[in-house]
Amino acid sequence: MRLTTFSDYALRVLMYAAAAGERLVTVEETAKTYGISRAHLMKVVNVLTRAGYIKGVRGRSGGFTLAKAPEAINLGEVVRATESDFGLVECFAPGSRCIITNCCRLPQVLNEALNAFIGTLDRYSLADLLLSRHDFTPPRRPITQVRGPHLSPKRPRARTSPSERGRRASNEKARQSS
Amino acid sequence: MRLTTFSDYALRVLMYAAAAGERLVTVEETAKTYGISRAHLMKVVNVLTRAGYIKGVRGRSGGFTLAKAPEAINLGEVVRATESDFGLVECFAPGSRCIITNCCRLPQVLNEALNAFIGTLDRYSLADLLLSRHDFTPPRRPITQVRGPHLSPKRPRARTSPSERGRRASNEKARQSS
């Protein structure tokens, strides 16, 4: 399960513009800062502009800046605007050939999970991600940290029977007294 | 945002085996029923076998069946086992070149969203998806239904000022009385 690179870059563009404050930034500069493709970033900036998150200023010293306060840029809304689709499974797009499409209950579960995902993003705005300009200088040490995915293990249900609990408790006692 | 075809097929294999009950089903038969690649499905069945969800019986009349009761096959655990990664953004994998990897706050938000997604699946088991054998007969009408994504729109925060509310109310009154 991944987000598209498009969404990843869109969020980075917004974070960079937010850190720049009122200063106009360029696609060139943003691409160079992150070390990513200028052509790809241009498309991202176009979509963010059309969606009303950033605004451009033409001319020699032109560039773009946030079109709204960071507090007004909701992360759930940004991802809804930048993801090409949320096609978790085949029947989430027209033309499904899966024989059980009409009666399957999996889509309900997946729609619920998807809404839990996007609902979490809905609780955050760009203001929650604000960095300073200094954070965009190259780190002194190589980047070795992996920031995710930090998936919590499934919590096992309490399936143990009373007799099982009794046995475990006496084992525990025996261990402590030894 | 998508799940891999691998996870999609894995869930379908489990649903098909669950509907078959104690009858052994084959990769051949499952592939034919869903109209999907036998070779791809073979890999899926291998992974599901190794993960202890299905068990195979060798021989001429061999095949596979569920290795546990449907209630004991948790959907969150299945997807954890079948997704190749949950690499939502670049820094969720080793080798990130993103300049803000070390200080960025987006990973925390995305990890939270991811756990909300998988945590929803954790609340369901294969038993919640049980179909009958008859559900696997070709539908009489072509499949036109799209089963998702049904993303709820973001609920707007109450941002309207008292004066704005007053203006809206009087507009509404005017509309009703006209």
Side-chain angles (χ1 to χ4, degrees):
Chain A
M1 195 170 98
R2 296 182 178 191
L3 288 178
T4 55
T5 306
F6 198 93
S7 292
D8 182 348
Y9 287 4
L11 291 162
R12 293 198 213 179
V13 165
L14 292 173
M15 289 169 73
Y16 190 63
E22 291 180 12
R23 183 176 71 83
L24 291 174
V25 294
T26 63
V27 171
E28 195 73 43
E29 175 193 335
T30 313
K32 207 172 162 189
T33 300
Y34 284 116
I36 57 185
S37 147
R38 189 187 170 287
H40 199 152
L41 219 51
M42 185 67 92
K43 290 177 199 160
V44 172
V45 165
N46 284 339
V47 165
L48 289 175
T49 306
R50 276 205 299 275
Y53 295 120
I54 57 179
K55 60 184 175 190
V57 173
R58 290 182 187 276
R60 223 177 109 192
S61 56
F64 64 86
T65 181
L66 290 185
K68 306 177 186 186
E71 293 77 16
I73 299 183
N74 179 276
L75 301 189
E77 286 181 322
V78 171
V79 171
R80 280 184 185 82
T82 56
E83 275 300 285
S84 51
D85 64 61
F86 291 90
L88 291 176
V89 282
E90 188 183 314
C91 62
F92 275 29
S96 171
R97 295 189 314 152
C98 180
I99 198 169
I100 53 171
T101 297
N102 295 333
C103 55
C104 182
R105 295 180 206 158
L106 181 61
Q108 283 157 260
V109 177
L110 290 177
N111 276 313
E112 190 184 328
L114 184 57
N115 279 293
F117 180 90
I118 207 86
T120 304
L121 299 186
D122 280 345
R123 295 205 303 272
Y124 292 94
S125 78
L126 187 59
D128 296 307
L129 308 182
L130 272 190
L131 294 177
S132 80
R133 295 178 197 189
H134 304 292
D135 291 318
F136 290 87
T137 49
R140 290 188 192 164
R141 294 180 195 174
I143 302 157
T144 52
Q145 210 179 351
V146 175
R147 301 293 309 274
H150 299 315
L151 266 180
S152 58
K154 187 190 166 292
R155 288 184 200 165
R157 290 185 201 169
R159 278 181 186 272
T160 47
S161 62
S163 61
E164 169 77 358
R165 277 199 295 276
R167 198 176 55 75
R168 283 195 190 180
S170 61
N171 282 352
E172 186 59 28
K173 263 190 192 168
R175 210 175 300 131
Q176 283 171 355
S177 63
S178 66
Chain B
M1 194 171 98
R2 297 183 177 190
L3 288 178
T4 55
T5 305
F6 198 93
S7 291
D8 183 348
Y9 287 4
L11 292 162
R12 293 198 214 180
V13 165
L14 293 172
M15 290 170 71
Y16 189 64
E22 290 181 13
R23 182 176 71 82
L24 290 174
V25 295
T26 63
V27 171
E28 195 73 42
E29 174 193 337
T30 313
K32 208 173 163 189
T33 301
Y34 285 116
I36 57 187
S37 147
R38 190 187 170 285
H40 199 152
L41 218 51
M42 185 65 93
K43 290 178 200 161
V44 172
V45 165
N46 284 340
V47 166
L48 290 175
T49 306
R50 277 203 300 275
Y53 294 120
I54 57 179
K55 60 183 176 195
V57 173
R58 290 182 189 276
R60 221 176 111 192
S61 56
F64 63 87
T65 181
L66 290 186
K68 306 178 186 186
E71 292 76 17
I73 299 183
N74 179 275
L75 301 189
E77 286 180 323
V78 170
V79 171
R80 279 184 186 83
T82 56
E83 275 300 284
S84 51
D85 64 61
F86 291 90
L88 291 175
V89 284
E90 189 183 313
C91 62
F92 274 29
S96 171
R97 295 189 314 152
C98 180
I99 197 168
I100 52 171
T101 297
N102 295 334
C103 54
C104 182
R105 294 179 205 160
L106 181 61
Q108 285 158 259
V109 177
L110 290 178
N111 276 313
E112 189 184 330
L114 183 58
N115 280 293
F117 180 90
I118 207 86
T120 303
L121 300 186
D122 280 345
R123 295 204 304 272
Y124 293 93
S125 78
L126 187 59
D128 297 306
L129 308 182
L130 273 190
L131 295 177
S132 81
R133 295 178 197 190
H134 304 293
D135 291 320
F136 290 88
T137 49
R140 290 186 191 165
R141 294 180 194 173
I143 302 157
T144 52
Q145 209 179 352
V146 175
R147 301 292 310 274
H150 299 315
L151 265 179
S152 58
K154 187 189 166 294
R155 289 183 199 165
R157 291 185 201 168
R159 279 180 185 272
T160 46
S161 61
S163 61
E164 169 76 358
R165 279 200 293 277
R167 197 177 56 74
R168 284 195 189 179
S170 61
N171 281 353
E172 187 57 30
K173 264 192 191 167
R175 211 176 298 130
Q176 284 171 354
S177 62
S178 67

